[in-house]
Amino acid sequence: FGHRSRVVEIEESDMVVCAQRSPIPIDVKDGETYYWCTCGKSKKQPFCDGSHVGTQFKPKDWKATYDVKKYFCACKQSSNPPFCDGRHVQMPADSEGKLFPPASFK
């Protein structure tokens, strides 16, 4: 009793683009820093190319501590960025290229 649900609107400029509905495997190198795209607009997925300039988004940096294959998130919905956590399987089949609230908003 007395509980109200609240609808929060999110601006289109605060939305992320689902770059693709599957992770991107990358052979990372020990000691190298990688800059993961958080907005989904980069043409160099999964990494940043500066397409976020003028928005609230900034790349997420991650430094490899050994040589290994890592699976980077491309749907931009992972709860473990920059890596895939499997959330892309819950997204609609036609998600690629479409706008979604960022995972941190949910």
Side-chain angles (χ1 to χ4, degrees), residues 67-101:
D67 293 357
V68 68
K69 184 181 297 277
K70 287 291 203 174
Y71 292 84
F72 286 82
C73 172
C75 74
K76 310 305 172 187
Q77 298 300 306
S78 177
S79 62
N80 186 34
F83 307 110
C84 177
D85 69 355
R87 287 191 182 192
H88 60 272
V89 299
Q90 300 169 8
M91 298 180 74
D94 64 347
S95 295
E96 290 184 17
K98 293 188 176 172
L99 293 171
F100 291 90

Side-chain angles (χ1 to χ4, degrees), residues 10-21 38-39 56-57 74-77 90-106:
I10 183 168
E11 299 289 324
E12 188 172 308
S13 61
D14 294 331
M15 306 274 266
V16 296
V17 175
C18 173
Q20 79 179 40
R21 220 176 131 249
T38 60
C39 70
Q56 67 164 350
F57 296 98
C75 74
K76 310 305 172 187
Q77 298 300 306
Q90 300 169 8
M91 298 180 74
D94 64 347
S95 295
E96 290 184 17
K98 293 188 176 172
L99 293 171
F100 291 90
S104 61
F105 184 79
K106 295 179 178 156

Side-chain angles (χ1 to χ4, degrees), residues 34-79:
Y34 297 86
Y35 296 91
W36 179 69
C37 168
T38 60
C39 70
K41 297 177 183 175
S42 173
K43 301 294 186 230
K44 295 182 177 182
Q45 290 295 328
F47 303 120
C48 178
D49 69 358
S51 293
H52 65 276
V53 173
T55 73
Q56 67 164 350
F57 296 98
K58 293 180 175 46
K60 178 173 180 58
D61 63 316
W62 176 80
K63 187 174 184 175
T65 54
Y66 51 92
D67 293 357
V68 68
K69 184 181 297 277
K70 287 291 203 174
Y71 292 84
F72 286 82
C73 172
C75 74
K76 310 305 172 187
Q77 298 300 306
S78 177
S79 62

